[in-house]
Structure formats: C-alpha cells, structure tokens
Amino acid sequence: MTVLLTMSGISKRFGATQALKSVSLSVSAGRVLALIGENGAGKSTLMKVLSGAHAPDHGEMTLAGQSYRPTGPHAARMAGVSMIYQELNLAPHLSIEDNIMLGQERFRWGVLDRAAQRRIVCEALAKLGHGDLRPETPVQELSVGLQQVVEIARALVSNAKVIVFDEPTSSLARDDVQHLFDVIRRLKSEGLGIVYISHFLEEIRELCDCYSVLRDGESVGAGELAGVTDDQIVALMVGRSVDELFPHVPHQPGDVVLKLDRLSGAHLPKEVSFELRRGEILGISGLVGAGRTEMLRCLFGLDETRSGQVTIAAYSPNRSPRARMAAGLGIVSEDRKTEGLAQSRSIADNMTLSRLSPYARWGWLNLRTRRQQVDRLMKLMEVKAASQDQFVHELSGGNQQKVAIARVLHQEADVLLLDEPTRGIDVGTKSQIYRLMGQLAADGKAIVFVSSYLTELLAVCDRVGVMSRGRLKEIRPAREWTEEEVMSVAVSGEER
Amino acid sequence: MSQTLNSETSSNWRSKWNVLSSLLGPFLALAGVILFFVVADGIKAGEDTFWTQQNFRTIAVSTATVAVAALGMTVVIIAGGIDLSAGTAIALCATVLAWGLKEDVGKFLHRASLAESSKLVADGDAQVKRLAGELKKVEAAAEPNDDTQILIKKLSEELEAEQAKLDVSRVELARCRFWTASVAVILSVLTGCFCGFLNGLLVSTLRVVPFIVTLGTMMIYLGLAKHLGSETTVRPILGSIPEWLQDFTSLLQKALWLGVPVGVWLMLVLAIVLSAILRYSVFGRYVFALGSNESTARLCGINVPVTKIAVYTFAGFFVGMAGLYQFSRLSVGNPTSGSGLELRIIAAVVIGGASLSGGRGSVIGTLSGAAIMAVITSGCTLLELKNPIQDVILGVIIIAAVCVDQFRQRKLVR
C-alpha cells in the first residue's frame, strides 16, 4: 500500500479565526478516505488548501513522494489533484467532449485534433463504465448523475492521482448514488486515492476504508473504519462541553400560536408537522441540505408550497409573505448578504422596511418619529454603529445580524423564524442573542430557531426537533436529547 | 474598547463623507466642465461667448427634454431596472400630442369644432372689415344729408352687431383651442404613463429582464407612432398650438419668465418633487429597497410585482412630460425623433452616479449628468470642434464617470 498524498501540520488563519490547527492527513493508493466533521469544522478549508485555492500558513504536503505546493486550482489539477464538488463545474451548452477536454485540448498547429480527443474521451468514459455516452451530447441534456460522471472523466483525463468528492450525493437520486459508488470503486481499483466527504455515516460505511475526523479545525482522530463504531465517530465529531455562554431567562409556554400540518414544499421539506406555543423556543437541528431553511421559507410563503396547512393564531393566511407577516410571522434569513439585508441601504431603512405604516400618512414618511424608534431599537439591540444612517455593509457581521433581528422586533411579529442567527458572529454577540431570545419568549413570543450548532440548540431551546432528508424526524424536550442522539437521528438518512 | 470607539467614529466620518461626495460629486464634475470651457473659450475667442446668460439659457433648454425623461429613468434605474423604450415613447407622446391638435380632439368634449369656430371668426372678421370699409366710404364720399345719415346709422348698427358676433366667435374659438390643447396634452401624458405601465406589466408578469422587455417595447412604440402619423411627420392645424406650449421651451424674450422659459422651471419643480418622493415617501423607500436587494424586499413583505409596475408607470409619466418638451421644440410630431434619445437619457443618469445594478442614484446627480452633456455639446460648438469630436468626448466622459464611481464603490466596500 503506497501513500499517495500526505498533508502534515497544516495551519491556516483567517483574520481572528484559526480555521485549521496543525491538521494531518494521508491518502493511500486504492483506498477511500472518509473526511468527517460538523459544519464549520474545517473540512472545506482543508480541501481548499489541498486544491490550491488557499495557501497554508504552515505545513507540508507531498504528492507521490514529491513536495506539492499548488499555486491555484488549475496547478493542482495538472499536478494530479482533482475536486468534485456538490455543485458541478460544467459548461451546460457544451458537449461532453468539449467539457472533458476544456483547458486540456489536443491540437496540432492550432487546429483541434478531434480524433485524438474523441479517443481520449471514450477511453475515460469506458473506464468509468459509461462507454455508451455519446461525446457530442450537450451536457445540459444529461441527468445530474451523468453530469457528475463527465466531471470525473475530466479528472481522469488530466491524469488525476487523487480525487476529492465533497458531499457528492446531496443532489443525487438513490439510483444515481449507487452508480456513483460503482464509479468510485472502479477508480479505487485503478489505483487512485479518494477523499470522500459526507455527513452520512451509512454512505461512509458502505464506501470508505479509513477515516479522519476534524473538529474546530483540528484532527481529533483517524484510523481504519472497521475498528470503530458509529457512536465513537459521532462522539469524536461532537465532543464539546457546554459552558456559561448560555444565559437562561425563565419563560413559560402558553397557548398554541403556530401549527403546521404536513407542510410540503416543491422539493423540500416533506410533510412537516409541529405545534408551537407562545413563550416557547423550538430548535430545529439537522445537516446542511436536510430542508430546515426550506421549511422556514415554505412556512413564510417565500417558496412554493405543494401541500399542507399552516395555521397562525387560529387562522390560515394566504401563502404570500405579506399575508404571513400580517398574521404575525417574522423571519431572519440565514444569508444576510444576498437575502436578509439590503446592504447598500442604511440601518434605519433596513430596520423599518417591513413596517413603515406607523410613520406614514398618505404615503409620506415622518422621518423624525422613525429616527426615535430606530434609536430605541439600536439601544435595545446594542448595535454598534456611528449613526442610524450608516450603510449596513459597513457593519460587522454581528451588528448586521442585530439589525436583521431588530427588523423582526420592529415588525412586532408574534412568531420569529430565526435561520442560523448566530452563524459567523462572535461569542459575545451570540450570548446577547441567546439572552434576547429568552426575553422574547418570556414576553410571550414564540421562536423557531434553526441552527447547525448543536450545543446552542440544546442549551437555549425548550424543545428540539431533528430534520433529515426533508422530514422532521423527532421532537423531544431539549433536556431529553444528547448531542450523540441528535447526530445519529440527523445522519439516519433512510429513504432518499 | 477605545480602539473600537475610534474606528466607529472614523467610520462615522467616512460615512458622512461618502454621502456628501456622492451628492456633490456630479455637481463638482459639472463645475469642472464649465470651468474648463470658460477658460478654453476665453483663450480661444478672447471674449466670453460661453459665459453668457444667453448661452446658459440655450443649454438649459436643450437639456430639458433629456433631463425630464432622465428623472423618470432615475427611478427605474434605482429600482434595478432599465427602460430602453424611453426614447421612442417620447416620440410617440409628441406624435400623439401633434395628432391630437391636428384632429382637434377637443371637439368630442366641446360642442364646436376648431375648424368651424375658426371659419366663423374668419367670416365675422371679413364681414366687419367690409362694413367698416363701406361705412368709411359713405362717410367720406357723400355730403351729410338725411339719407346718408340714415345709411350711416344703419351701417354702424350693423357693424356693431357684427362686431359683437365676432367677439362671441372669438371667445368660442379660444375655448375650442383651450379644450383641444388640454385634451391633447392630457392624452399625450397618459400615453407616456401607459407606455410605462405596459413595460412594468411585462417585466413583472413575464419575468423577462427589463433590458429585453423594453428593447421590444422600444420597437413597438416606434411602430405605433409611425402608424399614428401614417409614416410621416404629423403637422397640427395652424393656430391650434396654444401659445403657452410654443413658449414652453422658446428662447424669445416674450417667452421668458424670470430669465428662462417656463419649461425649465417646470423641470426644476418636477425634480424637487421627485427628490422629495424618493426621500420622504413610502414608495421611495420601496424603490431603493427593490433595487438594493429584491430578495430582501420580498422578505419584508413588499409586493414586488405591483411596486415594479408602479415604478415603470411613474417613469412613464416623466416620459409623457418629456414628450411635451419634444413637441414644443419641434412644433410637429415626428415619430422617429426619439430614436437614440434613450441612450442619452441613460447616460445622463449614469454620469449622475446611479448604479445600473440598482439601489443607488440621485435626482441632483441626474440633473448634473444631463447638464454636463449639454455643456459639453455647447462648449465644443463654441470652440468650433467638429461634431464627431463632441461624440468622442461624450463617450469618454461616460466611461470616466462610471470608472470614478466604481473606484469609489470599491473603496467603500473595503
């Protein structure tokens, strides 16, 4: 068994955050390595270092016995490291052949050598067990699964030694997943080294030989998969203790204010039902792609609803965001940049945009009373800014998040849908947001709190539900869950 | 802590400076361009031909059509859209106005038609002249005796009666003119609103990008105008153009009011009203929010399709107004007179610091942008630079303005 690739002592720092701390990894020929970790554990950063997108601050890499220091993704590919991402990198209008040969065309005196290209392409496709694909077919006519095959063929043509698969199954149907596994096994028998990133333990069990676990940017364990149980792996992934970060404000559940009855979206979520009471915080856990965000968006009327009923405070409003807001829903989007906030508008505009009526008479605004209100909100939320006229994009992430939450407060929503409200913000602000959530609950508001950070969910919420593959699997009071149990429900992905 | 405070204060200062510079930037550029031509003209001619009241009046009038339409375009561009149909829509509005005057649209609302009333007036006029002539002849030729006395008395009575009838006809004609002009002007402005409404409706319901939709309607409006004018220029009946509309953009001394024609004042009033709407109205907030981030607007419960239709219809009103200016300057309705105008309009908005990706733009910037273009045209003419050179200079200015703006934006994001 020859070692193809080694990464040792890799460190990478972005500003104040240490994304990777002396991480080590080795990939052998003809083996599949599972790279495991929670969201934000540093898997993506590590792979970006491997593919040359980021240069490491410290550490050494070797590829096939030689020192390996890629200057960029193209250099990495030429050296023999190819990446297959969740989102495919294909030019949809070009043919299979053109896509595979893109950037590595065979030509003679400036004229494409079609015959040679075709031979290479067919050879690569045959190696992957897809010799039946016609090279002149436009890629957009292929299924997602076959598009993935095209991308893998491209890696083969560029003489890849190591191929990294970054959550390749999340957009695939069940049959396509099996095809992909067959393809990966073929690659393995060809003597390539494979890195396979996935959240799904059963996939890893089926496909991989060895594992390496990352947590908070550190390697916390590695070895042969045959020697460990699922529980041991989950414990390695989670392994954190709750500290005093989570202030507790006592609150009592009251009447039912929100009821979902088998709500289904166009794709996700699938038949989600739950009830939420005033003064209650409901946490929603699950992996990326489990349909948590989609569930909130359906609930708010932003995405298409296929079936199911939403009842807010005893009546069922229309499906438009406007009607849902009038009924008392408020949402904080997971993505502040592209959806949550109008970045090139002021704090005041962003806070009040969803409810300008208190300041408007005949369509004209009374800016003075609005100023007072915005000042009050900024004080309440402890927004650090020069003035309320400052543009939102000049604020730090934490302060932007406070503005987004302030908007929902200003809207006087009864039910707050918070999608990853603590992502990308510092610990102090997180703690402020937890306290605020407690206070809101004590004031009789109901909160749905979606987060990928299990520790905060279990510490802050009254009840926690776990979603997997679009379904809400199980809801329990928070104290009856352990992190391991949540993770094992989240990765139990039957029925794709 | 003190460090964060410090950085917050400096960002406060920076924020204010950004707002100030984005407001004053185009204004300063305008001042720079004017200064350049004053100096260049002074060196070349030795005397001031550029820095004269007369020249600035000319510039103000020549910028008005573009500026008024550019005000509407500013709203569309702030909301993240674009309107390529503005130019041909202006020509359509002007053609509708000319057609309205030609066809005497007032007769549908008022009992008499313009032609009939004019004929009555002309006949009456002739009658009065004839009687007056006869009267004079009788008075001059004959000696005063009873017969002639009686004849003179009869003639003067007749003359008086005719005179009274003529006065009535004159009033009637004035009414006819008023009705026709009013109806034609209202029709023309409504046409502008309708063009905008159609743009908005198509953009909202078809979900095709505004560039394509308005590229299509640009052709459609051109075709409609040509059809209305039977593929030629529409000439209103002589005398049916009301005086105020002739004076609207006229540079004759009698047309001036406080130094400039009324049209220029109207443009300024429209600009002030628009900037108040953008700043102090709910609609204004929605326009900015829509252009800054459509997803956020949706998230905040704004009815995006309806707001878009409102934006384009609102801009259509300004297109209709620009149609008035266009007609007033040409005094005929030329269906093809608007082709290419849309690019000058968009250029004015862009030079004024608006972002084509939406969310940014100002009324004062747009006015400055329109003025900069007019000043360059006028200045180059006075410097006897050839027309092709003017075009090149305008092109350079447009690119430079956008580059400066992007540079500022990039600095701002950092």
Side-chain angles (χ1 to χ4, degrees), chain A residues 300 302 322 325 331 337-342 344-345 349 353-354 360 363-365 367 370 386 390 393 407, chain B residues 8 11-12 15 18 276-277 279-282 285-286 288-289 292-293 295-296 298-303 359 412:
Chain A
F300 196 69
L302 283 167
R322 208 179 167 76
M325 281 168 63
I331 195 169
K337 270 226 160 63
T338 62
E339 181 173 56
L341 295 167
S344 58
R345 301 311 303 157
D349 274 357
L353 194 56
S354 56
W364 291 90
L365 290 172
L367 291 183
R370 190 179 82 152
Q390 203 171 355
H393 63 65
R407 175 164 70 217
Chain B
E8 296 288 352
S11 93
N12 178 18
S15 170
N18 280 329
I277 287 176
R279 183 157 169 67
Y280 294 107
S281 78
V282 175
R285 298 290 132 163
Y286 286 2
F288 274 104
S292 177
N293 193 336
S295 308
T296 308
R298 211 164 148 239
L299 201 72
C300 288
I302 295 171
N303 192 333
L412 214 129

Side-chain angles (χ1 to χ4, degrees), chain B residues 180 213 234 332:
Chain B
T180 295
V213 167
V234 180
V332 292

Side-chain angles (χ1 to χ4, degrees), chain B residues 16-34 348-354 360 362-369 372 397 400-402 404-405 408:
Chain B
K16 276 190 180 147
W17 169 246
N18 280 329
V19 171
L20 204 70
S21 73
S22 67
L23 275 181
L24 290 185
F27 222 63
L28 289 177
L30 176 60
V33 171
I34 290 176
V349 179
V350 168
I351 292 176
R360 241 156 27 83
S362 71
V363 168
I364 193 162
T366 295
L367 286 189
S368 310
I372 286 174
I397 292 279
V402 175
V404 167
D405 198 58
R408 230 188 48 220

Side-chain angles (χ1 to χ4, degrees), chain A residues 62 110 146 151-152 297 350 357 367:
Chain A
T62 64
L146 288 177
E151 206 160 326
I152 297 168
R297 293 179 64 87
N350 269 289
S357 51
L367 291 183

Side-chain angles (χ1 to χ4, degrees), chain B residues 248-322:
Chain B
F248 200 52
T249 55
S250 163
L251 286 171
L252 297 177
Q253 199 61 42
K254 71 171 175 81
L256 302 185
W257 191 71
L258 297 182
V260 284
V262 178
V264 175
W265 288 114
L266 181 65
M267 174 189 87
L268 290 177
V269 169
L270 286 175
I272 291 167
V273 170
L274 177 63
S275 71
I277 287 176
L278 284 179
R279 183 157 169 67
Y280 294 107
S281 78
V282 175
F283 176 68
R285 298 290 132 163
Y286 286 2
V287 168
F288 274 104
L290 200 60
S292 177
N293 193 336
E294 197 174 317
S295 308
T296 308
R298 211 164 148 239
L299 201 72
C300 288
I302 295 171
N303 192 333
V304 173
V306 167
T307 311
K308 275 189 183 166
I309 292 175
V311 163
Y312 281 94
T313 310
F314 188 63
F317 166 76
F318 285 92
V319 163
M321 295 305 288

